[in-house]
Amino acid sequence: MAVDYTVIVLYLAGMLAMGWWGMRRAKSKSEFLVAGRRLGPWMYSGTMAAIVLGGASTIGGVGLGYKYGLSGAWMVFTIGLGLLALSVFFSARIARLKVYTVSEMLDLRYGGRAGVISGVVMWAYTLMLAVTSTIAYATIFDVLFDLPRTIAIVLGGAIVVAYSTLGGMWSITLTDMVQFVVKTIGVLILLLPIAVIKAGGFAEMKAQLPTEYFAPLGIGGETIFTYVLIYTFGMLIGQDIWQRVFTARTDKVAKWGGTVAGTYCLVYALAGAVIGTAAKVLYPKLPSADDAFATIVKHELPMGVRGLVLAAALAAVMSTSSGALIACATVANNDIWSRLRGAVSSKGDDHDEVKGNRLFILIMGIAVICIAIALNDVVQALTVAYNLLVGGLLVPILGGLLWRRGTVQGALAGVTVGGLSVIGLMGAYGILANEPVYYGLLASLAAYVIVSLATRPTDAAVLATWRARLAGESPTEPDADPASASPPATVTS
């Protein structure tokens, strides 16, 4: 295992080094939170793919393949579909808005007053997303070093918090690019073919497993529909995803770079399901489907390759964790704290703004680690997060982008009714039930439409400003670094 340990240690040290390098670049709010809005197509595609393909997509995707066969790809597949839909239909408009958070977009569209409530819902979602990603460190470090759960969470979480706090989005972007390459090599190029070969090839896999393991809809139509509702729509509105869209150099980069990333996700989904199916042939009686990834890596891969693939799993978790952490801190600072104390962030000193956002990342990071140590059920926490996100915010956000008649009162009603309905229905049906998000979404839609039609239309001046921003006619950001007007070649690839 010495070679495997060396690979992992070098990888972790590289993450910290990039955090230090990113700190030297992040001199303004724009640089710290959205990488100066300067990413070119290749870097944008890599970082976008890295953040959406986390531990759930890698370890969980293989686990679903172990349990259901090729149809286990549907969870990650719907994530890819969501990213494709966001990129093709919405990302160009989102990038042209030149905002930092989803709540700022709602304020811009509806004329204010929607930010704090929507910010609280988005903060809860990003916090739980960061927590569930952080818990995944325990599984990986247990395989690597046989560490106790608490120490594994603290170790993995501390590294992510460190490089995220140091350089903000610049550090996260750089580490995500490395993580994207590591995941591609470790999972697609190495683990996938090795797993299939060890299982005897596809012919042997079909001979050993039931027919339903190779049925496209074997996981069940209702389950697929729920995945679409939660993950596909969740990709359209999550702060962690939007904050990456804000990093694009142009609206075309956001559209086409995101399309490439979404297509990559579809390939990754199928790869995870195939690996899980191969693991079912090799280890048919594992106590838990989620053990499939670690088991096949630990027992079937040669020395050195094993370390690289485990680094790929670690990369998947770290990319999602760091993306969720900076999103959580950005929402907490810009949408909640700044509004509650009556501060207008755009008028502050750039250096102070960076220090403030850095402090919030540190605070939120410590909170995430503590909650991750105390929490046991990852699936329930993630379900609560996505139910609140989709049930509370999907209708007001998409309504604002697609329906001119929507009003701020309708948006507030949609957020409040949808969020409270989801919480109440989870109590009645159970957290893991499908009904809360179904009925919560319908309640949010009804409240949004009825209240919007019953109230005065949004002021014409507000809509004029909104349309101008959507057309890319916004002024230069007040906190932009003049030196960043011409992006260096190292970030435009």
Side-chain angles (χ1 to χ4, degrees):
M1 291 290 289
V3 176
D4 298 325
Y5 291 160
T6 301
V7 172
I8 298 297
V9 170
L10 288 174
Y11 167 75
L12 295 176
M15 297 300 99
L16 291 174
M18 289 185 182
W20 182 262
W21 188 88
M23 182 178 66
R24 301 176 60 185
R25 299 194 62 90
K27 301 300 184 183
S28 70
K29 178 182 177 181
S30 177
E31 295 281 352
F32 191 82
L33 294 182
V34 291
R37 308 189 195 272
R38 295 194 293 170
L39 298 191
W42 294 112
M43 186 167 280
Y44 178 86
S45 298
T47 58
M48 183 62 87
I51 188 177
V52 300
L53 296 173
S57 299
T58 303
I59 299 171
V62 172
L64 287 172
Y66 183 88
K67 189 173 182 180
Y68 298 105
L70 298 186
S71 67
W74 272 106
M75 184 188 78
V76 184
F77 201 83
T78 56
I79 291 174
L81 291 178
L83 185 52
L84 284 171
L86 173 71
S87 301
V88 172
F89 298 113
F90 300 109
S91 62
R93 284 184 282 178
I94 293 171
R96 288 195 293 264
L97 291 175
K98 302 297 183 185
V99 295
Y100 290 102
T101 67
V102 174
S103 295
E104 286 183 34
M105 167 264 169
L106 291 174
D107 278 352
L108 183 65
R109 164 61 180 82
Y110 294 110
R113 293 183 292 168
V116 174
I117 295 178
S118 61
V120 170
V121 175
M122 188 64 75
W123 174 79
Y125 157 73
T126 53
L127 180 70
M128 284 298 99
L129 185 61
V131 167
T132 54
S133 300
T134 303
I135 291 174
Y137 295 129
T139 301
I140 298 171
F141 281 109
D142 176 58
V143 175
L144 284 172
F145 307 117
D146 196 24
L147 291 176
R149 178 179 184 274
T150 298
I151 295 177
I153 290 173
V154 171
L155 176 60
I159 292 172
V160 170
V161 172
Y163 73 69
S164 301
T165 302
L166 286 173
M169 187 59 81
W170 266 125
S171 295
I172 293 171
T173 297
L174 293 170
T175 54
D176 276 359
M177 279 304 298
V178 175
Q179 290 158 358
F180 170 74
V181 173
V182 171
K183 277 191 288 192
T184 300
I185 296 174
V187 175
L188 298 184
I189 297 178
L190 295 177
L191 182 58
L192 175 61
I194 290 174
V196 172
I197 292 170
K198 291 282 187 177
F202 285 104
E204 182 65 20
M205 290 163 62
K206 287 185 176 181
Q208 292 286 337
L209 296 173
T211 305
E212 56 265 26
Y213 262 71
F214 301 91
L217 304 180
I219 198 171
E222 184 178 357
T223 300
I224 295 171
F225 179 74
T226 303
Y227 285 158
V228 170
L229 200 60
I230 293 177
Y231 296 114
T232 301
F233 286 130
M235 287 295 105
L236 298 180
I237 58 176
Q239 169 67 25
D240 52 325
I241 309 302
W242 277 41
Q243 199 156 343
R244 296 309 174 96
V245 176
F246 300 151
T247 66
R249 189 174 71 232
T250 65
D251 55 358
K252 290 183 178 179
V253 168
K255 181 175 182 178
W256 298 113
T259 301
V260 171
T263 304
Y264 178 90
C265 291
L266 303 183
V267 175
Y268 200 88
L270 184 59
V274 171
I275 292 168
T277 305
K280 183 67 175 180
V281 174
L282 294 168
Y283 306 97
K285 295 183 179 180
L286 291 177
S288 170
D290 286 339
D291 294 336
F293 181 88
T295 302
I296 197 169
V297 169
K298 191 172 185 178
H299 296 291
E300 301 297 334
L301 298 186
M303 177 179 60
V305 173
R306 179 172 50 216
L308 183 59
V309 174
L310 287 172
L314 198 57
V317 176
M318 282 186 160
S319 56
T320 300
S321 181
S322 59
L325 177 59
I326 193 171
C328 178
T330 302
V331 171
N333 187 18
N334 290 265
D335 292 338
I336 301 176
W337 173 245
S338 293
R339 295 168 191 264
L340 292 178
R341 66 186 176 92
V344 181
S345 61
S346 63
K347 294 182 180 178
D349 175 75
D350 286 348
H351 184 66
D352 291 338
E353 293 257 357
V354 171
K355 289 200 305 185
N357 282 292
R358 185 173 280 138
L359 178 62
F360 264 86
I361 291 179
L362 179 61
I363 294 172
M364 290 297 105
I366 293 172
V368 163
I369 291 172
C370 293
I371 295 171
I373 292 171
L375 197 65
N376 289 319
D377 198 321
V378 180
V379 175
Q380 289 195 4
L382 193 60
T383 301
V384 170
Y386 271 100
N387 282 354
L388 281 173
L389 177 71
V390 175
L393 290 180
L394 178 67
V395 170
I397 292 172
L398 293 189
L401 289 169
L402 300 174
W403 191 39
R404 180 176 177 177
R405 187 60 180 83
T407 66
V408 65
Q409 294 88 352
L412 289 172
V415 172
T416 305
V417 172
L420 292 177
S421 297
V422 164
I423 293 172
L425 290 166
M426 282 191 294
Y429 287 97
I431 290 177
L432 298 180
N434 294 327
E435 288 83 358
V437 71
Y438 294 167
Y439 300 144
L441 193 55
L442 289 175
S444 177
L445 177 62
Y448 177 73
V449 172
I450 292 171
V451 174
S452 291
L453 292 175
T455 52
R456 294 181 60 184
T458 304
D459 185 83
V462 172
L463 288 177
T465 301
W466 167 254
R467 287 194 296 269
R469 292 288 285 271
L470 281 179
E473 298 173 7
S474 57
T476 304
E477 290 184 78
D479 63 343
D481 184 354
S484 67
S486 299
T490 54
V491 298
T492 58
S493 58

